[in-house]
Amino acid sequence: MFSAFLALIGLSLFHSVSSEFSPGFPYGSQMVRGVNLGGWLVLEPWITPSIFDNTGNPNIVDEWTFGQYYDRATATTVLQNHWDTWITQDDFANIAAAGLNHVRLPIGYWAFEVGSGEPYIQGQLPYLQNAVQWASQYGLKLIIDLHGAPGSQNGYDNSGHRISYPTWQSNQTNIARTDAIIEQIASMFADQVDVVPIIAPLNEPAGYYGSSVLTPLRQYYYDSYGNIRYPYGTSTQSNTVVLLHDAFQPLSYWSGFETPPDFQGVAMDTHIYQVFSNSDVQMSWQSHIDTACDTQSTLSDFDLWLMVGEWSPAITDCATYLNGRGNGARYDGSYPGSTYVGSCTGLTGSASTFSSSYKTFLRQFWEAQVISYEKSNGWLMWTWKTENADEWSYLAGLQNGWIPWSPTDLEYPTICG
């Protein structure tokens, strides 16, 4: 455990080696521009709805129930085919060709270890190794992001297990299992920082539940620092950056947390969406742009490296299953407790149904966010590709003109004034 380790070696060690930290990318002086490989090694119903629809079972809503309720042999075949085809070497080539320099790869704990009674299907690790190889081949930096932890850290389907209340934080065994997996990931890639410069130890923990989550989470973040920065079992440090999600807290909450000189190579990840509340989806197009521009002052002044690790040009929650399989959308009033704003027709699905004015807006909104998020140390858009929600897809944006083939090729450079 890191706390015991700290006591053992003394804080002076951090001071004495601080100048030696040398990450695999010049964070702070060069901009992170990247994309997420969503829905590949962790299934998400809205990214690949066909995988869930083809089960014929409405109770299959996440990767847990996919393994639990679907015929095991069939489920394994479907997953294997998905892993083989959803993201390939060509995608890495295209990401590099689009002028991006980082890729964030979500992966679940079950790729490394499955406990008794957990229905997950394994087999993801060879694809993680493929991703590292392809990133190296095309000069991309790969962020390995633990997207799902035992017990679920947020209850979202994208944690692997959709449940009403997260249980990761309430069980020390869950946390210890997560620590062990981070140790394993850190050890696997400690000597490949030129390709895997960052490990993110936990995606989107539900800090909005307050101290019941935040207290164990803060300790877990200390432990993760020890596990990621000291992967050799000795006092030798790695050069791997530790990327901490803000747990949906304002950045001010984390002020002074794991900062130099006592800590080196820590970065903060914040996710910015404008679709997951009634007030968000009721905004005008111009208000969406203004809201993005208004993030600049907060993002420009933080005491760690900071990146916007997820964001999107989407302005509605209309994408099928975005709020979970079986749940509707706030925008068209089909989600519980929402009020009709408008029809989803022409705002999600295939870009062939998008009006020219909507595509122009998507370009403006994309640029407003890029300009604003570059007040931090960079950004990674969610997500590279989708089956049928082109407003969320970087690839569809490139193909249909609302995302430029070079992320610095802006048509609206003064959109934020």
Side-chain angles (χ1 to χ4, degrees), residues 48-109:
T48 56
S50 70
I51 288 179
F52 289 82
D53 291 342
N54 290 342
T55 66
N57 184 341
N59 296 314
I60 295 177
V61 299
D62 54 24
E63 201 159 331
W64 176 285
T65 48
F66 187 80
Q68 183 177 24
Y69 297 134
Y70 206 24
D71 174 77
R72 194 76 176 178
T74 309
T76 304
T77 302
V78 168
L79 280 174
Q80 201 75 51
N81 179 64
H82 170 68
W83 296 331
D84 281 331
T85 57
W86 184 246
I87 298 291
T88 68
Q89 183 172 341
D90 286 348
D91 291 292
F92 279 77
N94 286 326
I95 290 166
L100 301 176
N101 52 33
H102 277 67
V103 170
R104 180 169 172 262
L105 177 58
I107 195 164
Y109 80 88

Side-chain angles (χ1 to χ4, degrees), residues 147-190:
H147 220 69
S152 179
Q153 72 279 16
N154 52 34
Y156 306 161
D157 57 10
N158 59 56
S159 74
H161 197 186
R162 183 176 129 188
I163 49 179
S164 58
Y165 186 82
T167 62
W168 171 80
Q169 73 288 345
S170 60
N171 180 322
Q172 196 53 49
T173 304
N174 289 339
I175 298 174
R177 289 173 68 191
T178 316
D179 283 331
I181 288 161
I182 294 302
E183 281 188 61
Q184 186 180 345
I185 296 171
S187 158
M188 285 168 75
F189 300 107

